[in-house]
Amino acid sequence: MKPILLAVHEETRDLEMIQRELLSRYDADYEIVCEQSAASALVRLDLLRVAGAQVLVLFAADEMTAMTGIEYLQRAHELHPRAQRVLLIPWGNRSASKPILRAVSLGRIDRFATMPGRSPDENFHHVVTELLRDWQQQQHGTPTVVTVVGERWDPRSHEVRDLLQRSGLPFAFHATDSDEGRALLHQVQRPTGPFPVFIRFDGQALINPTNEEAAVALGVRHSSEEGVFDVVVVGAGPAGLSAAVYGASEGLRTIVVDRETIGGQAGTSSLIRNYLGFPLGIGGAELCSRALDQAWSFGAETSVLRRATDLRADGTDRIVVLADGTELATRAVVLAMGASYQRLGIPSLESLVGAGVFYGGGITEAQAMEGQLVYVVGAGNSAGQAAIHLAKYAERVTMIVRGGAVGASMSDYLVTLIAATENIDVWLCTTVIDGHGAGRLEELVLRDSNTGKARTVPAAALFVLIGAQPHTGWLPSSIERDQRGFVLTGENLLPASVTTGAAAAAAPLA
Ligand SMILES: Cc1cc2nc3c(=O)[nH]c(=O)nc-3n(C[C@H](O)[C@H](O)[C@H](O)COP(=O)(O)OP(=O)(O)OC[C@H]3O[C@@H](n4cnc5c(N)ncnc54)[C@H](O)[C@@H]3O)c2cc1C
């Protein structure tokens, strides 16, 4: 049976309009099901659930007689938890916005869209195709640039999956002990590794390549590095990519280099909701891949998996030195190296990094958390987002918070959403002190800071998001930094006497 798009609307004309739009575009690949009441749609969804059918998108009218569209979508979602929920609102009905925005914040609907009006209604199709594309990207069998076979709980496998995910390269991963993995290893005559083995789209195998070798083989590096640049941007997170877009759009010869891949921290975020222009949020990797396209369209060059190791002056030029010895001459340098996760510093857990212990939101690991007990350490926005994303898959997500509340460091919308997510617990005044497992994390030891008592809990995974350290250690001493290593800018660069003088000058004359 084809995957299903199911719509419900009580008005015959409106339902016909939705049906016509869906049939005209999606009939060849998807089953279109339309129902005229919430009750009949729920009965139908239950039958589909029993039959094992895959419902991808649920569309519902905002207002219905027996229940509201939001209530219906909530119940429908219990039957098909993976389906995306779209609330259809009539043209110009902005009065409905408060309950709708609340429903989005509480995770009760995924999108809202205006009812299709004219035909074809491209705004409506824009929403539908985005949802279908997201679904397709999560599917196995999407055309892949590279297939990786590696040991499931090996930290290097985790690192490779993370890099590929953030590079935006379509890839597949198979464990060495899976049927697919074994078949692929047999095909490239490497049944015993060493792992991971990369199999390119054209069949070429790379055996346990370095990140550098993989980047070259997969064609993710495209730049010419001759001559003098106008701007070298170090770091391809959102800040670096913005600098690349604006540098290149001003006609400056711009290159952005990153020691890892595109996207920085943002690339690991499952959903960013506070970025201008994306009212319903956007995945971090998607945001950065769009920024990369934008920078590229203005002529910016990119070079990934290249670490900047030194910076010096040569007359009026600045020279950025890369780890492989390449020297990039430029008129200006933008430092946008961001920061990386603060480590827990617990040796037993550090030895399990990639094997159940993860730094960051763990988008790539989320699906593997299906039915598991998962812990998230931290109380900032990134920890909150990670918990919400993981809760879609895990049986239970427990947030471990050192302080007495989450609200101080987390945006209000995330605090509300966490409180409304049934399978997230928040344990306050708690710290992680130890953890164990044979080859992968199996249990954690936690301490209640009020009572001082320690307890051991079973744990399949621990995601750590407890703040960040700046990546400025490689800079020469001539670049001024504060005690924590952050580069001083603006007024902070002025000697104390100058700032004191400014304050004195601003004081009223006696
Ligand atoms: C899971 C998660 C969710 C988040 N969600 C949100 C959110 O919803 N809203 C929000 O506002 N913020 C969010 N954040 C925070 C946001 O992602 C960061 O504030 C943002 O990414 C910072 O951007 P940046 O470009 O300054 O640095 P980064 O994103 O840290 O990027 C810096 C880049 O520089 C590279 N680099 C470092 N050193 C070198 C070197 N020597 N040579 C070459 N390259 C180097 C790194 O590899 C990295 O790619 C989230 C963060 C995380 C981890």
Side-chain angles (χ1 to χ4, degrees):
M1 190 190 280
K2 291 187 279 191
I4 294 164
L5 314 183
L6 189 145
V8 55
H9 205 300
E10 289 178 347
E11 300 296 329
T12 308
R13 266 193 56 204
D14 287 327
L15 189 63
E16 282 172 1
M17 181 63 120
I18 300 168
Q19 188 170 31
R20 191 173 68 212
E21 288 301 289
L22 292 176
L23 284 173
S24 69
R25 290 279 166 98
Y26 313 104
D27 186 39
D29 301 309
Y30 305 94
E31 189 84 31
I32 311 298
V33 179
C34 290
E35 291 287 340
Q36 205 158 3
S37 77
S40 64
L42 289 171
V43 171
R44 185 76 169 258
L45 285 167
D46 200 28
L47 291 173
L48 290 169
R49 181 185 61 82
V50 173
Q54 193 178 20
V55 178
L56 299 187
V57 189
L58 296 159
F59 302 90
D62 179 21
E63 287 175 11
M64 293 188 281
T65 44
M67 61 185 88
T68 66
I70 294 172
E71 284 163 351
Y72 157 76
L73 287 172
Q74 228 178 320
R75 289 177 56 181
H77 201 242
E78 283 162 18
L79 297 168
H80 293 272
R82 293 285 156 78
Q84 296 285 311
R85 297 150 294 176
V86 183
L87 192 69
L88 296 172
I89 50 174
W91 265 101
N93 184 7
R94 287 273 153 180
S95 64
S97 68
K98 264 206 173 146
I100 292 171
L101 294 180
R102 193 171 150 71
V104 175
S105 301
L106 294 179
R108 292 195 178 132
I109 63 174
D110 298 293
R111 304 289 296 254
F112 59 86
T114 305
M115 267 290 302
R118 70 190 137 204
S119 187
D121 187 325
E122 298 302 344
N123 284 330
F124 175 72
H125 290 299
H126 181 71
V127 173
V128 181
T129 46
E130 267 194 359
L131 291 169
L132 294 177
R133 189 200 51 182
D134 288 352
W135 167 75
Q136 194 184 48
Q137 279 178 354
Q138 288 163 14
Q139 291 306 296
H140 298 291
T142 308
T144 51
V145 170
V146 60
T147 302
V148 180
V149 186
E151 284 159 321
R152 176 90 203 131
W153 295 101
D154 178 19
R156 173 72 181 141
S157 294
H158 166 63
E159 185 192 348
V160 162
R161 285 196 300 271
D162 187 52
L163 277 175
L164 289 170
Q165 162 89 21
R166 291 196 280 131
S167 309
L169 280 182
F171 75 99
F173 177 86
H174 297 292
T176 47
D177 55 4
S178 66
D179 290 345
E180 296 93 335
R182 271 192 292 266
L184 285 164
L185 291 172
H186 177 73
Q187 197 180 307
V188 297
Q189 297 171 5
R190 285 291 187 152
T192 55
F195 303 116
V197 171
F198 286 49
I199 302 160
R200 242 172 45 153
F201 53 91
D202 59 358
Q204 188 195 322
L206 297 150
I207 311 304
N208 191 18
T210 62
N211 291 346
E212 288 268 316
E213 289 161 352
V216 172
L218 298 176
V220 292
R221 199 174 276 170
H222 14 241
S223 69
S224 71
E225 292 160 0
E226 305 301 314
V228 178
F229 287 91
D230 293 311
V231 188
V232 170
V233 182
V234 185
L241 290 171
S242 304
V245 167
Y246 294 112
S249 66
E250 290 302 313
L252 301 173
R253 186 179 176 218
T254 305
I255 183 170
V256 52
V257 294
D258 199 291
R259 63 180 189 170
E260 293 181 348
T261 182
I262 300 302
Q265 294 173 71
T268 67
S269 172
S270 49
L271 187 70
I272 295 182
R273 285 204 41 220
N274 59 347
Y275 200 82
L276 191 72
F278 297 94
L280 291 174
I282 180 165
E286 167 74 7
L287 177 71
C288 294
S289 139
R290 288 184 187 206
L292 176 67
D293 285 350
Q294 199 176 2
W296 178 82
S297 72
F298 286 119
E301 298 176 49
T302 48
S303 200
V304 295
L305 295 168
R306 309 195 81 182
R307 178 193 294 271
T309 52
D310 199 8
L311 174 61
R312 64 168 200 274
D314 181 8
T316 53
D317 288 348
R318 301 288 174 266
I319 309 293
V320 176
V321 184
L322 304 180
D324 62 3
T326 305
E327 299 203 339
L328 301 175
T330 177
R331 288 170 46 222
V333 180
V334 175
L335 299 176
M337 294 89 66
S340 65
Y341 308 108
Q342 200 95 27
R343 312 295 287 198
L344 276 176
I346 300 169
S348 56
L349 291 173
E350 292 300 323
S351 69
L352 293 172
V353 170
V357 177
F358 305 101
Y359 283 91
I363 301 182
T364 45
E365 305 304 323
Q367 294 199 16
M369 297 300 137
E370 184 102 48
Q372 308 276 1
L373 298 176
V374 170
Y375 292 77
V376 174
V377 194
N381 279 352
S382 44
Q385 281 188 1
I388 290 159
H389 184 61
L390 290 162
K392 291 181 190 155
Y393 301 91
E395 183 185 327
R396 260 218 110 69
V397 176
T398 305
M399 296 191 73
I400 307 290
V401 179
R402 198 171 45 172
V406 281
S409 47
M410 196 184 290
S411 297
D412 196 47
Y413 81 91
L414 287 172
V415 176
T416 313
L417 190 46
I418 285 169
T421 307
E422 189 275 321
N423 64 336
I424 301 184
D425 295 321
V426 180
W427 291 356
L428 301 173
C429 302
T430 306
T431 46
V432 180
I433 54 170
D434 206 354
H436 318 108
R440 53 172 289 201
L441 182 72
E442 286 166 9
E443 55 186 32
L444 284 171
V445 186
L446 309 174
R447 180 161 50 218
D448 180 324
S449 51
N450 288 325
T451 62
K453 279 196 181 144
R455 62 169 156 162
T456 302
V457 291
L462 176 72
F463 293 85
V464 186
L465 298 106
I466 52 169
Q469 278 167 335
H471 295 140
T472 53
W474 62 278
L475 291 170
S477 56
S478 53
I479 308 273
E480 298 261 6
R481 277 154 281 175
D482 68 11
Q483 306 93 315
R484 292 193 295 150
F486 288 93
V487 172
L488 296 182
T489 56
E491 198 178 75
N492 291 330
L493 275 172
L494 298 176
S497 57
V498 177
T499 34
T500 320
L509 293 172

